[in-house]
Amino acid sequence: MEAKIKIAAIAISIVIISGCSNDNSKTSEEIDQSTMNQAMGEMNHSNMMPDMMEGHMSHDQVIRLNDSTGENELKIPAVLEKDKGEGIVYTVRAQKGKTEIFDGTESVTYGYNGPFLGPMLRFEKGDTVKIKTIN
């Protein structure tokens, strides 16, 4: 009985694996090259329509991120003051802005109480906090 279960499991596995194959006409070299191209980040754009490329960044004009060797400080947002009155109440307002994430390149961004990300809210463990959101 145990041998029949093992044989059935192997047969099902073979069927599943063969069903997952994209193109059985490719040679193992073509499959290896295709896998390597995907791993290396290459993308074939030859079958894309010109209107699909609109707004697509060229792979030849790669913008590098700033390194994190300690020269670029982490910008901590300001602490938002709580609203006047009883309890701990904060009001945050969603807004659109522009931020220079890459040197010399402004990006459209969204944030709360500012153009990018949001302010820090400060409260203690166990506090009951109300956050009013204006969208």
Side-chain angles (χ1 to χ4, degrees), residues 33-88:
Q33 184 62 44
S34 174
T35 303
M36 181 63 81
N37 288 346
Q38 289 176 355
M40 298 301 291
E42 294 179 25
M43 186 172 182
N44 180 1
H45 292 91
S46 63
N47 61 350
M48 293 179 75
M49 302 298 285
D51 59 335
M52 294 171 69
M53 293 295 292
E54 187 176 325
H56 183 74
M57 184 190 306
S58 167
H59 294 285
D60 297 327
Q61 300 173 352
V62 177
I63 298 175
R64 300 280 178 219
L65 294 173
N66 293 331
D67 63 26
S68 59
T69 59
E71 297 173 18
N72 301 307
E73 293 183 31
L74 178 63
K75 296 177 182 167
I76 306 286
V79 176
L80 182 64
E81 296 296 324
K82 60 185 176 184
D83 296 349
K84 304 275 189 217
E86 284 191 37
I88 302 172

Side-chain angles (χ1 to χ4, degrees), residues 1-134:
M1 182 67 147
E2 191 174 309
K4 289 181 182 179
I5 293 174
K6 287 181 182 179
I7 292 171
I10 291 171
I12 291 171
S13 298
I14 291 171
V15 169
I16 291 173
I17 290 171
S18 66
C20 293
S21 175
N22 289 338
D23 186 358
N24 293 335
S25 65
K26 290 183 178 179
T27 66
S28 62
E29 284 183 20
E30 290 172 324
I31 292 170
D32 289 344
Q33 184 62 44
S34 174
T35 303
M36 181 63 81
N37 288 346
Q38 289 176 355
M40 298 301 291
E42 294 179 25
M43 186 172 182
N44 180 1
H45 292 91
S46 63
N47 61 350
M48 293 179 75
M49 302 298 285
D51 59 335
M52 294 171 69
M53 293 295 292
E54 187 176 325
H56 183 74
M57 184 190 306
S58 167
H59 294 285
D60 297 327
Q61 300 173 352
V62 177
I63 298 175
R64 300 280 178 219
L65 294 173
N66 293 331
D67 63 26
S68 59
T69 59
E71 297 173 18
N72 301 307
E73 293 183 31
L74 178 63
K75 296 177 182 167
I76 306 286
V79 176
L80 182 64
E81 296 296 324
K82 60 185 176 184
D83 296 349
K84 304 275 189 217
E86 284 191 37
I88 302 172
V89 181
Y90 292 97
T91 300
V92 293
R93 178 182 307 272
Q95 62 187 77
K96 186 176 179 178
K98 289 188 177 188
T99 304
E100 188 175 304
I101 297 171
F102 302 106
D103 291 338
T105 305
E106 279 193 335
S107 299
V108 174
T109 56
Y110 296 91
Y112 291 99
N113 295 29
F116 187 57
L117 299 178
M120 286 193 317
L121 306 178
R122 187 167 299 218
F123 37 88
E124 301 292 324
K125 183 177 179 179
D127 286 347
T128 299
V129 179
K130 182 176 181 180
I131 300 173
K132 297 178 187 176
T133 305
I134 301 170

